[in-house]
Amino acid sequence: MASYGYGGGWAPYVPVAERRRKAEKMVASLKKKGRICVPVVINGRAIAATFWGKKWCEHLETFSDHENRLPRGRTYARNGSIVDLQIAEEKISALVVGSSIYEVNIKVHPLDKALWQALLDECAGKVASLVELLQGRLSGAVMDVVTRQGSGLFPLSHQIRFKCSCPDSASMCKHVAAVLYGVGARFDSQPELLFRLRHVDPQELIRQAGNLPAMQVPDTYQGLGGADLSALFGIDLGDAGMAMPQPAASAPPLPAPSAPVSKPRATAVKPAAPSGSKRSKTITSMELGERGIPVSMRQSWLNSGVLLRTEQRGVYAVTKQTEQRIADYLARFKTAQAK
C-alpha cells in the first residue's frame, strides 16, 4: 500500500462533518478572493443518472491500473468532498476536502483530429439533433460509435495526466479518483462539457447531416417538449427571447454561431440590484450550485430578471420569481432524467 507521508503511516482520519466545516471555511476564503466555487452534489448512491454521466463512470472502471483507488474516489465524491469542480478545454481543476484541502489538476489530451474526422464520417447523416445527441437518445449504432473504446470521445488512461497537492505517493490518489467521478456527475447536467474537454464541437456532428442548420431542431423531435430542453441545456424556455428556434420555409441556413448566444441579450438587458429595499434577500452562486442549478441557467435568469446582480461578485438578489423558477427547473430536470 502507498504511504501518505505521515511517518510511513496513513493520514489521521477526519470525520466527514469536520471535512465539510473545513470546506466551508476554504470556500468562504476563496470567495473573498473572487473565486466562485461550484461543488459536486450527489444525492443517493448513484454517481450519475443520465447517459453521458453513466458512460463516463463506466469508462473509468476500465482503468485497471487504477482500480484500487477508484472505490475510495467514489466514496469521496458521494460524501460531498469535491467543493469545486471546473471543466474547460483539455483540463479539469478541483478542490477536494480530505485531512486537508487539496488541489487537483488534470490534463486531458484533445481528441485526435483524425479520430474526430473518422467519427464524423461514420456518423454522417445520422445525427440530426443536438438535443438527442447530448441526451444519448440516438440509435444504439451511433452511440456505440461516439463512446467506442479507444476511438470514441472518452480519453484512455494514458491520455490523462493528473496532479494532486496531497502527500500520497500513489500514481492516482483518492482525491484525483473522486474528481474523475465528479466529472461524471457534472455530465448529468452539462453533457456538452465532454465535447469541450476533448476540444471538439458537437455541432459538427449535426452539420454532417447536410440538410439542417446547426442550431435547428427538427420537426421529428419537437415532441420532446420544453421541459426536457430546459433541463438539458439550462435554458428557461419561459424567459423572453429564449423560445425554441423554428424551421423557416424559405430563409437561408443559419451560420454556426461564432460567439456565445448570451452576449447580445446581456447588452440588451440590464438588471440592477433592487433599490430601496433593506429586506431584499440574496442567494450566492455556490448555493445555487448546491441546489443543482447550472451556470448556464443562472446566466439566463440574470438576463431575464429572475435574478438580479448586486455589487458583490457571485451574490444575487432574489425576486418574487426566483424560488418558483428553481422549483420548476428541478422538477423539469427530474422529469428529463426519468425519460
Side-chain angles (χ1 to χ4, degrees):
M1 290 186 178
S3 168
Y4 277 68
Y6 295 87
W10 297 98
Y13 172 74
V14 178
V16 172
E18 178 61 25
R19 292 180 192 171
R20 288 179 176 169
R21 280 193 291 271
K22 287 184 178 181
E24 290 171 0
K25 290 182 180 179
M26 170 62 79
V27 169
S29 175
L30 290 171
K31 184 178 177 181
K32 291 179 181 178
K33 298 177 182 179
R35 175 169 177 172
I36 304 302
C37 294
V38 183
V40 174
V41 180
I42 297 173
N43 298 314
R45 297 287 297 171
I47 299 291
T50 64
F51 175 83
W52 289 109
K54 287 179 178 178
K55 281 294 185 180
W56 174 269
C57 293
E58 290 173 8
H59 179 67
L60 293 182
E61 306 296 337
T62 67
F63 293 0
S64 57
D65 47 341
H66 302 304
E67 60 184 355
N68 62 321
R69 286 308 172 96
L70 293 177
R72 295 296 301 277
R74 286 195 296 270
T75 299
Y76 265 56
R78 289 191 187 107
N79 67 24
S81 294
I82 307 171
V83 297
D84 186 33
L85 176 63
Q86 308 287 341
I87 301 174
E89 291 179 349
E90 303 174 36
K91 65 181 180 180
I92 302 163
S93 58
L95 294 176
V96 182
V97 181
S99 53
S100 185
I101 306 290
Y102 299 114
E103 186 172 356
V104 174
N105 288 287
I106 301 173
K107 292 185 178 181
V108 178
H109 289 195
L111 189 64
D112 182 82
K113 291 183 179 179
L115 286 179
W116 178 236
Q117 187 58 54
L119 193 153
L120 291 174
D121 293 342
E122 195 166 353
C123 294
K126 301 175 183 176
V127 183
S129 166
L130 184 60
V131 177
E132 287 181 313
L133 173 65
L134 295 184
Q135 280 198 331
R137 295 181 57 168
L138 298 174
S139 69
V142 172
M143 300 319 293
D144 284 344
V145 170
V146 294
T147 62
R148 190 161 51 201
Q149 189 77 13
S151 62
L153 291 172
F154 298 130
L156 300 174
S157 59
H158 70 271
Q159 296 174 322
I160 302 175
R161 295 289 180 268
F162 36 79
K163 182 179 180 181
C164 181
S165 61
C166 79
D168 191 345
S169 60
S171 58
M172 177 192 284
C173 67
K174 58 193 176 184
H175 311 111
V176 169
V179 171
L180 290 174
Y181 276 110
V183 170
R186 184 62 52 81
F187 287 164
D188 265 4
S189 59
Q190 294 178 276
E192 69 278 6
L193 289 177
L194 172 60
F195 294 84
R196 184 180 181 189
L197 182 64
R198 299 309 308 276
H199 210 157
V200 295
D201 181 5
Q203 297 271 7
E204 292 186 37
L205 285 164
I206 288 82
R207 286 195 286 270
Q208 289 292 96
N211 60 351
L212 287 173
M215 292 300 291
Q216 183 171 316
V217 180
D219 291 336
T220 55
Y221 204 73
Q222 289 179 1
L224 174 65
D228 286 335
L229 288 169
S230 299
L232 178 61
F233 292 112
I235 295 175
D236 193 333
L237 298 181
D239 290 342
M242 293 302 292
M244 185 190 302
Q246 298 296 321
S250 59
L254 297 175
S258 58
V261 179
S262 61
K263 284 187 176 179
R265 295 195 309 273
T267 58
V269 180
K270 297 180 180 179
S275 59
S277 175
K278 295 183 179 179
R279 293 184 178 181
S280 297
K281 295 182 180 180
T282 60
I283 190 167
T284 66
S285 181
M286 179 182 176
E287 289 170 340
L288 288 168
E290 289 175 338
R291 294 179 69 173
I293 307 301
V295 174
S296 54
M297 180 61 82
R298 295 171 227 166
Q299 186 60 51
S300 173
W301 288 348
L302 282 169
N303 291 338
S304 61
V306 176
L307 292 172
L308 300 176
R309 299 183 188 278
T310 68
E311 295 181 356
Q312 188 174 357
R313 184 176 178 182
V315 178
Y316 312 118
V318 302
T319 68
K320 293 180 179 180
Q321 306 175 60
T322 305
E323 282 301 322
Q324 187 59 51
R325 288 297 186 93
I326 291 174
D328 290 346
Y329 172 82
L330 294 177
R332 292 197 302 266
F333 184 70
K334 184 177 180 180
T335 300
Q337 285 183 316
K339 290 187 177 182

